[in-house]
Amino acid sequence: MPPYMFANRAFCFSSCNAWCRVLRCRGIVACAKMRNQRRNAADFCTTRNPRRACSDGILFQEQPQIGNPYLEDALLRGYLKSHLPAQVFAEVNPDLERFGALVKDEIDPLGRECESQPPWLLQFDAWGRRVDEIVTCAAWKRMKEISAEEGLVAEAYERKHSNWSRIHQMAKVYLFTPASGFFSCPVAMTDGAAKVIESLGIPKYLEEAYARLTSRDAGRFWTSGQWMTERKGGSDVAGGTETVAQELPDGTYALRGFKWFTSAADSDVTLTLARIAAANGQVEEGTRGLSLFYVKLRDEEGNLNGIQIQRLKEKLGTRQLPTAELYLDGATAQRISKEGRGVAAIAAMLTVTRVHNAVTAVAGMRRAILLARDYAVKREAFGKCLAEHPLHMRTLARMEVEARGAFLLTMETARILGMQETQKATEEDRLMLRLLTPVVKLYTAKQAVAIASEALECFGGQGFMEDTGLAILLRDAQVLPIWEGTTNVLSLDVLRSLAKSRGKALDAFFAAAQAKMEPALGVTELEPSAQMVHEALRKLRNFAREMALKGEFTAQMAARDFAFTLARIYGGVLLLEHAAHCDATTVDAYAAQRWCRQDLCPIDAANEGGSYAMNAVSRDADLVFDGWPDPR
């Protein structure tokens, strides 16, 4: 197995505790002393390691390490302590500390094994019989067992902590995801499937499925896929779904069609869309023709249920995850939505999976920063360690501030989801959940890629080497802006949330922002930043009025900037709220101040610059197609 950088903490010299202290210090005054200790330790290691003693042509740098990710994440612990009721925190805190140790000691090595032993497809056995078996490594199978045993899905549905159960679950998923070899993907889709079944009232014929999807028993636990993408690809399921469902005499359906992109193709069950054929074979096109179906992948004898696996996909990242092209050739299925209401039925699933996408994004940011932080006190350049270079520390600080805002945006969305699930949400909360879900998903996904790219620079050339295990940070992050809706698709979804609520969702946004910032207005060091957010809110409100007058054309041009403005403003609001809490630190206050110094309302600057003028689209086209042969 390649010597991945994510190995467990292991040092061959006794001065390692000094390095651990450096990781927790606020300043860098100890770096010179640590550097001398490191040289002595390196000399000691050389005498013990013949390979290092023969140093010609061998690069030697100390690898970055991560210990218990829960104990190393001050923001996560601070957030839970300040938001959870005391009794809930008292129960959740030791569970997460224990789970963090499990991540370090067992899950992390398993994740590396999943990366080094990716899945492969056995289409035919030695005698020519088609078997279509996706072969996964033992580590991948163990990840499924751990997901069940740790309740990575079950925690949200047991509701032992009422509405706070979602926060507990997402905190565990946050710790699990970057070490999981992307088993977090089937966890997300399983959670989404359970949510759909629960939203349907758990009908009797789905009771077993729901029980298995939310089980803590590794022997009973099922994972679910999500098969929505067909040959035309993309998020336009209304225009791209060609799979046809033919009703059978017993009330089940036979599905026929091609599924072009199916993640976690080795799952036990799946949800998929199809068009029901009438007696004459005709189907209804568009959204109204789509119904939602539940499919078991295998029958009682273990044979595939009318499914042929055409091939596994070759991807830039997420190579640990089996993603396949499938042909449904009479797969037996049960319709679980009302006829023609398939898209409406998956709305609850999309909310859950988009929140998971955001959790994956912020977890990846945190992993990258923890590694870069550790490396900063180990790597020496130009006569001193990286942590003594002010520009490097400023770069890490920028990454940290971005990760903090993204984390709070994600957890706030998960908090409201938990309230909705336990019937504690107000109408304003429900409007905020509908608005924030696409905003948080699109924003955190884009920032995850940026942070991963910046992190690789922190390691110099080592960040570009596959055998260090660092490149995976960027490769896997790149899928996040694409899954569950691209940035532009989700930006338009933000507009739909406003249109469908007749502007009430935006009213709820303004009201929530004002209420959450109120405590910060009484704190001297936070008040200037709160005023910056107030000014950004004023500009946003003015633009929203202007957008309403100009109509849909302007709104669509501005949709992306509008969504990013919502994210930046609300990120500032949440950082201020967190910094104003009685348990907050000076670091929390500084993070809020740093966030609020950026342009919180980019849509205003773009508008002033004429970006949304009526001729902007034609000028954009001229720019893009400059030099392109005129198709006319």
Side-chain angles (χ1 to χ4, degrees):
M1 186 185 302
Y4 284 102
M5 303 294 285
F6 304 155
N8 298 325
R9 198 177 287 276
F11 295 91
C12 60
F13 47 87
S14 60
S15 60
C16 64
N17 289 335
W19 285 106
C20 297
R21 288 197 295 275
V22 172
L23 291 176
R24 292 189 286 272
C25 74
R26 296 297 184 192
I28 58 174
V29 293
C31 282
K33 180 180 177 182
M34 297 303 104
R35 189 166 63 247
N36 290 333
Q37 290 180 341
R38 173 171 161 243
R39 284 175 181 147
N40 294 336
D43 292 341
F44 174 76
C45 288
T46 299
T47 64
R48 297 289 299 273
N49 190 327
R51 185 174 182 272
R52 285 184 185 161
C54 182
S55 59
D56 289 348
I58 295 176
L59 176 72
F60 173 60
Q61 294 177 16
E62 288 191 57
Q63 68 183 56
Q65 307 275 1
I66 296 177
N68 184 322
Y70 180 66
L71 296 180
E72 293 193 6
D73 195 333
L75 179 63
L76 172 59
R77 298 195 315 277
Y79 171 85
L80 295 173
K81 186 176 181 180
S82 63
H83 281 76
L84 297 181
Q87 181 58 39
V88 175
F89 179 73
E91 296 176 17
V92 165
N93 184 53
D95 180 58
L96 292 175
E97 183 174 345
R98 175 200 58 79
F99 185 63
L102 183 69
V103 169
K104 176 178 77 74
D105 295 333
E106 182 177 3
I107 296 174
D108 214 10
L110 290 172
R112 297 196 305 273
E113 186 177 336
C114 291
E115 172 73 10
S116 64
Q117 298 182 42
W120 57 281
L121 175 60
L122 176 65
Q123 277 193 308
F124 298 91
D125 67 14
W127 305 98
R129 184 176 65 94
R130 183 159 188 167
V131 292
D132 282 354
E133 179 184 355
I134 296 175
V135 182
T136 57
C137 64
W140 183 259
K141 295 177 176 65
R142 176 59 185 147
M143 287 293 190
K144 182 178 180 179
E145 295 173 352
I146 291 173
S147 299
E149 294 161 357
E150 292 295 333
L152 296 185
V153 177
E155 190 69 50
Y157 296 91
E158 294 167 347
R159 304 200 172 104
K160 291 181 293 188
H161 306 302
S162 186
N163 54 295
W164 297 108
S165 292
R166 266 293 174 192
I167 292 294
H168 185 194
Q169 178 218 18
M170 289 301 176
K172 291 188 85 166
V173 171
Y174 170 80
L175 296 173
F176 175 76
T177 291
S180 72
F182 241 89
F183 199 86
S184 53
C185 175
V187 167
M189 291 187 290
T190 302
D191 194 350
K195 188 66 195 168
V196 169
I197 295 173
E198 185 183 58
S199 70
L200 297 172
I202 316 180
K204 190 170 183 60
Y205 62 91
L206 290 175
E207 285 179 354
E208 182 194 10
Y210 180 79
R212 286 180 175 271
L213 294 171
T214 59
S215 177
R216 286 180 182 263
D217 182 346
R220 286 180 48 78
F221 180 59
W222 280 353
T223 58
S224 175
Q226 179 180 313
W227 300 352
M228 307 298 167
T229 306
E230 303 201 1
R231 292 187 301 174
K232 294 183 179 179
S235 300
D236 181 15
V237 293
T241 301
E242 300 172 333
T243 300
V244 173
Q246 186 73 49
E247 188 170 8
L248 301 175
D250 63 357
T252 62
Y253 290 79
L255 304 186
R256 287 181 170 80
F258 193 84
K259 299 295 182 180
W260 184 80
F261 192 97
T262 61
S263 288
D266 64 331
S267 292
D268 302 283
V269 299
T270 192
L271 300 184
T272 189
L273 294 170
R275 301 183 187 279
I276 298 176
N280 61 2
Q282 296 298 307
V283 296
E284 183 175 354
E285 300 298 329
T287 302
R288 292 183 180 180
L290 293 174
S291 299
L292 184 64
F293 294 85
Y294 165 79
V295 182
K296 284 186 178 181
L297 269 68
R298 294 182 181 272
D299 60 24
E300 297 300 325
E301 286 73 40
N303 300 312
L304 281 172
N305 170 25
I307 300 169
Q308 292 181 6
I309 303 175
Q310 303 297 305
R311 65 169 181 144
L312 292 186
K313 310 292 275 189
E314 296 185 18
K315 301 167 290 180
L316 170 67
T318 70
R319 297 170 183 172
Q320 319 92 319
L321 174 69
T323 305
E325 292 179 10
L326 306 176
Y327 178 65
L328 307 184
D329 187 16
T332 302
Q334 290 177 297
R335 176 170 58 84
I336 64 173
S337 72
K338 293 181 180 178
E339 188 168 339
R341 297 288 295 167
V343 173
I346 64 173
M349 177 176 66
L350 288 176
T351 297
V352 169
T353 53
R354 285 171 177 174
V355 172
H356 272 274
N357 201 97
V359 170
T360 301
V362 295
M365 293 186 216
R366 177 56 56 203
R367 177 125 180 162
I369 291 169
L370 288 177
L371 286 165
R373 185 177 71 178
D374 188 67
Y375 195 62
V377 298
K378 293 178 175 177
R379 172 66 168 149
E380 185 177 313
F382 304 106
K384 53 188 177 182
C385 66
L386 295 180
E388 292 180 276
H389 290 276
L391 183 56
H392 188 76
M393 294 307 293
R394 172 134 295 214
T395 300
L396 289 178
R398 285 195 180 110
M399 294 163 63
E400 177 65 31
V401 170
E402 189 58 54
R404 285 175 173 247
F407 172 86
L408 292 177
L409 281 166
T410 300
M411 296 307 279
E412 174 66 4
T413 309
R415 183 189 71 83
I416 303 174
L417 174 61
M419 293 181 66
Q420 183 192 59
E421 291 174 325
T422 53
Q423 288 75 52
K424 295 185 178 181
T426 64
E427 178 61 22
E428 288 71 23
D429 289 328
R430 286 188 284 271
L431 290 168
M432 281 295 287
L433 181 62
R434 175 66 183 89
L435 177 64
L436 281 181
T437 300
V439 167
V440 169
K441 189 277 177 185
L442 72 87
Y443 185 82
T444 59
K446 294 297 283 188
Q447 297 312 108
V449 176
I451 293 294
S453 179
E454 192 73 73
L456 294 197
E457 285 192 55
C458 293
F459 302 101
Q462 292 294 83
F464 200 65
M465 299 295 106
E466 281 287 353
D467 59 359
T468 65
L470 293 167
I472 190 176
L473 294 172
L474 184 57
R475 287 194 284 104
D476 283 357
Q478 189 59 65
V479 78
L480 298 173
I482 299 172
W483 275 357
E484 307 301 333
T486 61
T487 306
N488 284 351
V489 166
L490 289 172
S491 297
L492 295 175
D493 191 44
V494 171
L495 296 186
R496 279 193 293 274
S497 75
L498 301 184
K500 192 169 183 178
S501 69
R502 298 184 179 180
K504 290 181 180 179
L506 194 56
D507 292 339
F509 177 86
F510 286 123
Q514 296 287 355
K516 285 182 172 295
M517 273 198 306
E518 199 65 34
L521 293 173
V523 181
T524 303
E525 61 184 337
L526 297 179
E527 190 157 356
S529 297
Q531 293 300 333
M532 294 177 188
V533 175
H534 270 297
E535 177 60 16
L537 285 167
R538 184 191 65 79
K539 292 178 179 178
L540 176 62
R541 187 178 281 109
N542 290 341
F543 179 82
R545 293 194 190 103
E546 183 180 331
M547 185 171 66
L549 292 173
K550 290 187 177 181
E552 185 178 355
F553 187 81
T554 299
Q556 289 204 10
M557 279 197 294
R560 191 179 178 115
D561 293 335
F562 185 77
F564 271 76
T565 296
L566 293 175
R568 286 194 186 175
I569 290 176
Y570 214 64
V573 166
L574 295 173
L575 282 163
L576 287 167
E577 179 193 39
H578 183 69
H581 195 272
C582 61
D583 292 325
T585 66
T586 56
V587 172
D588 296 320
Y590 183 59
Q593 292 165 350
R594 284 284 300 266
W595 179 281
C596 293
R597 288 174 195 160
Q598 67 180 316
D599 183 4
L600 296 175
C601 194
I603 200 168
D604 180 69
N607 188 43
E608 291 295 320
S611 294
Y612 315 128
M614 292 303 294
N615 67 340
V617 171
S618 61
R619 296 186 68 183
D620 287 346
D622 290 342
L623 182 62
V624 170
F625 292 107
D626 185 32
W628 191 269
D630 190 336
R632 295 169 296 182

